[in-house]
Every structure is written in C-alpha cells, then in structure tokens.
Amino acid sequence: MYETIYHRPTSLADAAALFAKAGDATYLAGGHTLIPVMKQRLAAPSDVIDLGRIKDLIGIEVTGDALIIKAATTYYDITQSAEAKRAIPAIVHLTTVLGDPAVRYRGTIGGSLANNDPAADYPAAVLALDATITTNTREIKAADFFQGLMSTALQPGEIITAVSFPIPAKAAYSKMRHPASRFALTAVFVAKTKSGEVRVAATGASSSGVMRVPAIEQALTANWSASALDGITVSSDGLMEDIHGSAAYRANLIKVMAQRAVADAG
Amino acid sequence: MSTIKMTVNGKSVSAEVEDRTLLVNLLRDTLNLTGTHVGCDTSQCGACIVHIDGKAVKSCTVLVGQANGANITTIEGIARGDELHPMQAAFRDNHGLQCGYCTPGMIMSAIDIVNRHHGDLDEQTVRHELEGNICRCTGYHNIVKSVLDAAGRMKVAQAAE
Ligand SMILES: Cc1cc2nc3c(=O)[nH]c(=O)nc-3n(C[C@H](O)[C@H](O)[C@H](O)COP(=O)(O)OP(=O)(O)OC[C@H]3O[C@@H](n4cnc5c(N)ncnc54)[C@H](O)[C@@H]3O)c2cc1C
Ligand code: FES
Ligand code: FES
C-alpha cells in the first residue's frame, strides 16, 4: 500500500470539507473493498476519510412505508435489526448470505452501493425494490444510480447518507454463492410492490452490473408463481462468461434463482 | 505518522506508526504479538482474525486508525495464565489443528461464534459460520468438533461464574 493520510471526521460536513481540501481523497467505510484494492496498489488515495464514526450515517428506521438504512450501518447491524426483519425480511436474508461473519462486522451498505461490484448483493435489492439513495446533496432513484460496471451516479466527493426501501407486498432473494469468494455467481431479488408492480433484478450475471429481467417480470405479473417461469428462456446476451460459468449457465441460473425466490416469497 | 493508542489484551499500548499500517502489522511487527498470522493478505482466509471490541474481524483489512482507541484481544490474550481458554483446550483435545497456521484465527472466530449463539450450536451452523476461515490441513471435521465441544465447555464455564 502506498502512503496515505487517515482522517476520522465525526460529522458529514467535516468529511466533505476534508475531501474538498485534499488532493486525491477517498472515503472509507467498512474498508472491505477499499483496503484490499489499496494493498494491490490499484488505488493510491492521498487521503483516506473514514465515514465509519459519523453518527448521522448509522442506524435503521421505519418511517411510513419505507425501511431506511443509513449508509455506514454495517451488515452485522442489519442482520440484528428487529425493525428491518419486520419491514423487509428479504433484505435481512440477503445480508446473512453476504460474505462471511468477519466481513459482515465491517462492511456497510453505503460502501457496497458506492462500489457497485457486478456480483454484489445490495444492488439487486435496491433495483428490485425501486429504492431511493440519498446523498449529502440529493436523492437518486435506483434506476439512475447504477451506471454499469463499478460505476454509479455519484459525483466526486458526494457521500451516500441513506437508502430508503419502499416496503413491498412480497419480496425474496435467492443467491447461488460462489463457494470460494461467496459473491453471487448469480442471484435474483424478486419483489411485488404494494400497488402490484412486479420488479425482478439479477446480480452476478451481467458484465455491466445489476440488471432487471423483463421476461421474468412479465411472466410473474401474469401469474406470481414459480411454475409461471417454467417455459421462460432468459437471453444470455451481455451476460458474464468466465471460468466459473458460461453466459448460458448464468442465463439459466437467473430463471432458477427467480423461481426459488418466488417460492420463498410466497 | 500518527500516534495510535489502544488496549491490547488488557494492556494500554501506544505506538507511532504510518497511517497506512494495517492492524495486523502493528500487532505483529510493533507489539511482537506474532500469534496472529497473515495467511492470504487479501481478506479471504481469516488467519489474521482478532477481536476488536469483542467482534471477530480480519486484522489484515483494518487500518490502525480505524482501531484507534479500541479494545483488541488476540490469541495471546485469551488463556488465563497457564490455563487454556476452553476453545484452545477443545482444539487440543479434538485434534483440531495440524500445522496450526490457521488456528489462531479459527479460535478467535470460534469464540465469537459461540458468544453470538450463546453456546447453542449445531454442526451446520458452525460450518456456515466458519466460512471466513480457511484451513489447508484438517479438512475441517475436527475443527467443527472442537468448536461444538468448546461451546459446551463455555456454557458450563459461564454457568459456573
Ligand atoms: C472475503 C470477502 C467476501 C465478500 N463477499 C461479498 C458478497 O458475498 N457480496 C457482496 O455484495 N459483497 C461482498 N464483499 C464486499 C463487501 O461487501 C464490501 O464490504 C463492500 O463491497 C464495500 O463496503 P465497505 O463498507 O467495506 O466499503 P469500503 O471498502 O470502505 O469502500 C468501498 C468504496 O465505496 C466508497 N464509499 C464507502 N462508503 C461511501 C459512502 N457512504 N458514500 C460514498 N462513497 C462511499 C469508498 O470511497 C470506496 O470507493 C466481500 C468482501 C470480502 C473481503
Ligand atoms: S490474512 Fe487476513 S484474511 Fe487472510
Ligand atoms: S491446521 Fe494447517 S491450515 Fe489449518
């Protein structure tokens, strides 16, 4: 790792001011992507600004029809939240199959979203539930936030402060975990909103990151059941192809994971 | 350079180190606590797991600044004098280690697992919970046995306190 200067601000305003003053700063939350990347010298920020101690960025609440998770809340705290379990159990389930216990103690939902790894779990929940991402300057809808492989709508210095998930009528997440990395080989989040709209998002499948799956959405809109997907073929166009699985394998996994998720959602 | 102050195995320590220093390097190189191992250095293997404020985390993936002011426990800090921690004793009795490289991380993870589940564990849960710890020798069977054995011992020890 190259030399860097570490800062631990206690307010959002201080964090943003430190970022503006530094030459080439990066925010740090759980560090479970950034630190490995810095060790490989793929990132060499002059300053590292730790968001992990900013109280305004930590916590979970349910207000009206939404579950709000603040950005620096750790995965572990999400798995322990009775409110999250009551509001959207699928998000808690997703969190329990993310990484391993040591990763869950440190990693944060904001870090995961800012990073937008093509096989990360939370982007699928955010896109399927049509969540809103709040930053220190604006609100961003899920569909506008994810902009392809590891890229997002965030501007330099912009800080995610919270994610607001509308509470759905039904939702579930089914993940085929890569047995070594524990990332999604392909995973699918299915949701039916309170107004009856069906939204389905797949992660780990497309080389441009999280994607919606219109063929499956249409079939489930007509008939919300696993068997409704029996005759569906998901196109393998644009899906990842690597030593872990071909594009055709991932296309089939999208269907199978969606069927399992619908069965779980009930 | 920053001055880092923390409590390590019950003792206050203070060190002047570069900001890019990882917690595992402070423990091993500055404090000479070499029981904590570096297996992969890429956040995968869990050999470097220590407790930060009671939570089992990978110390190769924590900058010292993040742990400034924290309470750290390493493998060196869990026995009481000559009396092994019940988890250490269970690993010895159940042949839960071969080369021993992964063992400090396994034990620190396992203590956290037992604590989180209040000693109520079954084989499947232990296997799922140990996903962040890699062992290249044992095939895991005796590690799982050790953790289940220790869960019983820790429950008994807690009840006696
Ligand atoms: C062994 C291992 C297994 C893993 N398995 C999985 C898995 O199964 N599924 C999965 O989804 N992920 C997995 N991960 C990745 C993990 O979820 C990371 O924690 C996550 O990608 C990044 O979150 P973080 O809080 O650690 O962010 P950091 O590493 O601290 O930061 C990541 C990036 O986000 C930026 N950032 C952080 N917070 C904010 C914010 N509030 N506003 C703006 N920018 C911000 C940082 O500047 C940085 O660029 C795994 C990681 C490891 C090490
Ligand atoms: S050395 Fe830290 S996880 Fe392997
Ligand atoms: S005992 Fe050798 S790596 Fe686990």
Side-chain angles (χ1 to χ4, degrees), chain B residues 18-99:
Chain B
E18 284 184 332
D19 287 14
R20 64 176 158 174
T21 309
L22 300 165
L23 177 58
V24 70
N25 295 130
L26 177 79
L27 294 171
R28 289 179 53 88
D29 305 342
T30 311
L31 304 177
N32 290 321
L33 294 170
T34 54
T36 302
H37 292 163
V38 178
C40 63
D41 204 19
T42 56
S43 319
Q44 307 287 326
C45 76
C48 63
I49 287 183
V50 303
H51 292 185
I52 303 184
D53 296 325
K55 293 174 172 164
V57 306
K58 294 172 180 172
S59 63
C60 77
T61 315
V62 176
L63 292 173
V64 281
Q66 293 177 284
N68 203 356
N71 197 344
I72 314 284
T73 307
T74 70
I75 189 73
E76 289 91 345
I78 58 173
R80 287 192 199 166
D82 288 341
E83 190 195 333
L84 293 179
H85 185 283
M87 189 63 73
Q88 293 173 301
F91 268 71
R92 187 179 61 183
D93 296 348
N94 292 285
H95 198 63
L97 60 146
Q98 290 180 19
C99 80

Side-chain angles (χ1 to χ4, degrees), chain A:
Chain A
M1 190 185 300
Y2 290 107
E3 273 187 69
T4 190
I5 304 169
Y6 171 87
H7 307 268
R8 190 153 112 183
T10 52
S11 77
L12 211 49
D14 287 353
L18 281 165
F19 191 100
K21 216 167 59 189
D24 180 17
T26 302
Y27 295 119
L28 170 78
H32 272 53
T33 291
L34 182 63
I35 294 173
V37 167
M38 287 174 68
K39 285 198 215 178
Q40 292 173 316
R41 297 190 165 183
L42 296 173
S46 63
D47 296 70
V48 169
I49 302 167
D50 190 352
L51 304 174
R53 303 299 175 106
I54 300 176
K55 289 213 173 64
D56 288 346
L57 291 182
I58 299 168
I60 297 171
E61 62 194 35
V62 174
T63 52
D65 274 345
L67 169 69
I68 297 166
I69 305 179
K70 295 189 181 165
T73 308
T74 62
Y75 306 143
Y76 175 73
D77 285 344
I78 296 169
T79 64
Q80 298 304 301
S81 163
E83 273 187 312
K85 256 177 231 163
R86 246 195 327 271
I88 313 182
I91 290 195
V92 175
H93 167 71
L94 173 152
T95 313
T96 61
V97 296
L98 190 169
D100 60 53
V103 171
R104 292 195 289 272
Y105 271 139
R106 303 294 296 184
T108 69
I109 189 167
S112 174
L113 293 174
N115 195 52
N116 192 19
D117 187 287
D121 295 292
Y122 283 110
V126 166
L127 191 58
L129 292 170
D130 199 15
T132 302
I133 289 160
T134 308
T135 74
N136 56 338
T137 56
R138 58 185 168 141
E139 293 194 338
I140 310 171
K141 294 300 289 176
D144 303 324
F145 182 81
F146 302 109
Q147 302 200 339
L149 189 72
M150 320 278 307
S151 77
T152 68
L154 292 173
Q155 295 298 312
E158 192 171 1
I159 300 172
I160 302 175
T161 57
V163 190
S164 172
F165 296 96
I167 297 172
K170 290 174 184 218
Y173 184 63
S174 187
K175 176 178 182 183
M176 180 60 77
R177 304 174 89 197
H178 187 285
S181 77
R182 294 173 292 278
F183 273 95
L185 200 51
T186 283
V188 173
F189 198 105
V190 299
K192 189 179 209 173
T193 66
K194 285 190 171 154
S195 60
E197 188 195 355
V198 173
R199 295 175 62 100
V200 175
T203 185
S206 163
S207 41
S208 41
V210 66
M211 61 183 250
R212 286 178 68 181
V213 195
I216 290 182
E217 290 177 348
Q218 279 152 24
L220 291 178
T221 304
N223 174 10
W224 178 268
S225 75
S227 59
L229 303 181
D230 285 344
I232 298 278
T233 313
V234 176
S235 160
S236 60
D237 286 353
L239 298 193
M240 279 189 270
E241 174 112 8
D242 55 26
I243 54 164
H244 308 301
S246 64
Y249 175 67
R250 284 189 164 88
N252 190 56
L253 267 185
I254 292 178
K255 170 171 136 179
V256 175
M257 291 300 110
Q259 286 183 307
R260 289 188 191 171
V262 171
D264 286 349

Side-chain angles (χ1 to χ4, degrees), chain B residues 73-125:
Chain B
T73 307
T74 70
I75 189 73
E76 289 91 345
I78 58 173
R80 287 192 199 166
D82 288 341
E83 190 195 333
L84 293 179
H85 185 283
M87 189 63 73
Q88 293 173 301
F91 268 71
R92 187 179 61 183
D93 296 348
N94 292 285
H95 198 63
L97 60 146
Q98 290 180 19
C99 80
Y101 202 87
C102 69
T103 315
M106 285 285 177
I107 287 181
M108 298 314 284
S109 266
I111 293 171
D112 179 67
I113 293 168
V114 174
N115 288 341
R116 267 189 289 117
H117 291 271
H118 309 290
D120 296 322
L121 285 168
D122 53 35
E123 182 188 333
Q124 207 192 346
T125 310

